[in-house]
């Protein structure tokens, strides 16, 4: 191994997290090793352990970094317009762009190892925030109750995540085409719910009345 160039501590830590992101996204938490990360980063294991005292702490740092990238991408999309339909389209487009432009970070979040304590909860924090935003949108636009809006939002984010994983693994769609398809289904579905006034007139439920 070549001797690594001395870097400021914060810069070295960021470099190790970036390298570990690639290693963990390819191999998974259980298969990847600290040796593999050190070799890929061009440092000795003692240098790696100066920054992260275990594979667990490194893995959680990788998840946090991936979440930060996702949050930045999604937040930018949500602030791109005041029109709700445009915001939905922008957010979903940003999500699928994240899959293609930051594939390793997406795979880290989507494949958080369930055997690593804290990993799944940590990885889901960004998607949980996305679901919360969607729930608020549904509740404002329709007559859905808070509980109904939350249920629909979880279903929507789960659908988007499953579709994004399919996109990441197969590349059968361009990101823009996938985003257009999913956002159309989402917006049409939300638009089919009774609005606030209709729901109040019908007793406050967003559930459709069965046809005779």
């Amino acid at each position: 191994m070549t001797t690594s160039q001395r870097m400021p501590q914060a810069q070295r830590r960021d470099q190790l997290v970036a390298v570990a992101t690639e290693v963990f996204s390819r191999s998974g938490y259980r298969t990847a090793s600290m040796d593999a990360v050190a070799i890929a980063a061009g440092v000795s294991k003692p240098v790696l352990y100066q920054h992260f005292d275990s594979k667990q702490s490194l893995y959680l740092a990788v998840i946090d970094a991936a979440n930060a990238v996702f949050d930045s991408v999604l937040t930018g999309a949500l602030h791109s317009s005041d029109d709700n339909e445009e915001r939905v389209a922008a957010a979903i487009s940003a999500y699928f762009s994240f899959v293609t432009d930051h594939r390793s970070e997406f795979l880290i979040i989507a494949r958080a190892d369930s055997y690593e304590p804290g990993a799944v909860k940590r990885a889901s924090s960004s998607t949980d925030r996305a679901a919360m935003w969607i729930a608020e949108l549904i509740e404002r636009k329709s007559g859905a109750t808070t509980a109904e809006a939350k249920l629909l939002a979880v279903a929507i984010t789960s659908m988007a995540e499953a579709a994004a994983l399919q996109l990441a693994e197969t590349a059968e769609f361009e990101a823009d085409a996938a985003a257009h398809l999913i956002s159309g289904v989402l917006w049409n579905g939300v638009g089919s719910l009774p609005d606030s006034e209709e729901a109040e007139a019908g007793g406050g439920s967003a559930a459709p009345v069965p046809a005779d």
Side-chain angles (χ1 to χ4, degrees):
M1 182 191 305
T2 58
T3 303
S4 61
Q5 182 179 359
R6 183 176 294 277
M7 291 184 186
Q9 184 173 2
Q11 185 180 351
R12 174 65 75 191
R13 186 182 190 280
D14 289 344
Q15 182 230 3
L16 293 173
V17 168
V19 171
T21 297
E22 298 300 321
V23 173
F24 284 128
S25 69
R26 287 195 306 267
S27 303
Y29 174 74
R30 286 171 288 177
T31 302
S33 67
M34 294 293 269
D35 284 308
V37 174
I39 291 170
V43 301
S44 64
K45 277 183 71 176
V47 169
L48 180 57
Y49 277 104
Q50 285 175 8
H51 294 270
F52 301 97
D53 60 10
S54 65
K55 186 169 79 166
Q56 178 192 50
S57 65
L58 175 58
Y59 184 54
L60 295 180
V62 165
I63 290 174
D64 288 343
N67 272 334
V69 174
F70 179 67
D71 282 347
S72 176
V73 170
L74 186 63
T75 299
L78 294 181
H79 288 89
S80 64
S81 173
D82 292 328
D83 180 84
N84 283 335
E85 184 171 3
E86 291 178 0
R87 291 172 75 196
V88 167
I92 293 178
S93 178
Y95 189 90
F96 283 101
S97 294
F98 173 71
V99 174
T100 54
D101 297 343
H102 303 279
R103 186 173 184 274
S104 295
E105 285 82 357
F106 169 74
L107 291 175
I108 290 294
I109 293 173
R111 296 173 174 170
D113 197 300
S114 60
Y115 291 95
E116 179 53 34
V120 174
K121 183 177 180 180
R122 211 150 177 159
S124 66
S125 62
S126 290
T127 51
D128 287 347
R129 284 192 290 278
M132 185 183 306
W133 173 79
I134 292 172
E136 290 172 356
L137 172 63
I138 292 172
E139 195 171 0
R140 284 200 310 270
K141 178 176 173 58
S142 72
T145 65
T146 299
E148 288 169 338
K150 286 181 178 178
L151 180 63
L152 288 170
V154 169
I156 288 165
T157 52
S158 296
M159 175 185 70
E161 185 172 5
L165 189 57
Q166 176 77 4
L167 178 68
E169 292 178 341
T170 65
E172 292 177 338
F173 283 92
E174 295 293 332
D176 287 345
H180 180 74
L181 181 65
I182 298 296
S183 62
V185 171
L186 169 57
W187 189 254
N188 289 333
V190 173
S192 70
L193 295 171
D195 62 26
S196 307
E197 293 180 0
E198 290 173 340
E200 288 175 4
S205 173
V209 178
D212 291 334

